Amino acid sequence: MDLSNATIGQLMIPVEDFDRGVSFYKSTLGLPFLFAAPPRMAFFMCGSVRILVGVMPAGQVAQRGSAVYFKVEDIQDVASSLKAKGVSFLAEPHLVHRTPASELWLAEFSDPDGNHLALMSEVPVAAAGA
């Protein structure tokens, strides 16, 4: 057996300040809030993936090695909206790869705790040139 047929069920994003983290993912990013659970965990949905935003238990160090890429249709519009809410991007949305059929655009940013996040958009070439 292996993970070839698995799907991602949940991602954990560690935060230092619970209220600030919940506010960022709920109000700034606009992710649908599901519920909070003791001791300091909040759950959100992003498409079919559940995101756990939580404070690490005492004595455990947060690991911030993975980036979370949010796939959006209009990267320019979403980036502009997030900038208006105070999100600082490392760079404007930019083209990173082009195939004959599509272009891949990225825009990286961080949450208040330094977790690496990004927007990504796959744009059909016909739409990209319009």
Side-chain angles (χ1 to χ4, degrees):
M1 298 271 301
D2 60 23
L3 297 179
S4 61
N5 292 318
T7 60
I8 299 295
Q10 180 170 293
L11 298 173
M12 196 284 187
I13 300 176
V15 297
E16 300 297 325
D17 182 312
F18 182 70
D19 292 331
R20 180 182 69 188
V22 169
S23 177
F24 181 79
Y25 286 89
K26 184 178 182 179
S27 300
T28 303
L29 298 187
L31 292 177
F33 176 76
L34 296 175
F35 60 93
R40 292 184 288 176
M41 299 181 291
F43 296 85
F44 299 85
M45 282 308 289
C46 184
S48 63
V49 177
R50 186 170 54 206
I51 295 179
L52 160 58
V53 173
V55 176
M56 299 301 296
Q60 286 189 9
V61 177
Q63 296 183 6
R64 304 186 194 281
S66 297
V68 178
Y69 289 76
F70 295 96
K71 189 173 184 179
V72 298
E73 286 193 33
D74 188 337
I75 194 168
Q76 302 290 346
D77 187 49
V78 174
S80 178
S81 175
L82 292 179
K83 280 191 270 185
K85 294 179 179 181
V87 173
S88 296
F89 283 83
L90 300 173
E92 293 294 318
H94 56 282
L95 176 66
V96 295
H97 183 70
R98 183 181 182 128
T99 69
S102 66
E103 295 179 345
L104 176 61
W105 288 72
L106 293 179
E108 296 93 0
F109 61 102
S110 296
D111 73 5
D113 290 286
N115 293 298
H116 187 85
L117 307 173
L119 301 177
M120 67 179 281
S121 184
E122 293 183 57
V123 182
V125 171

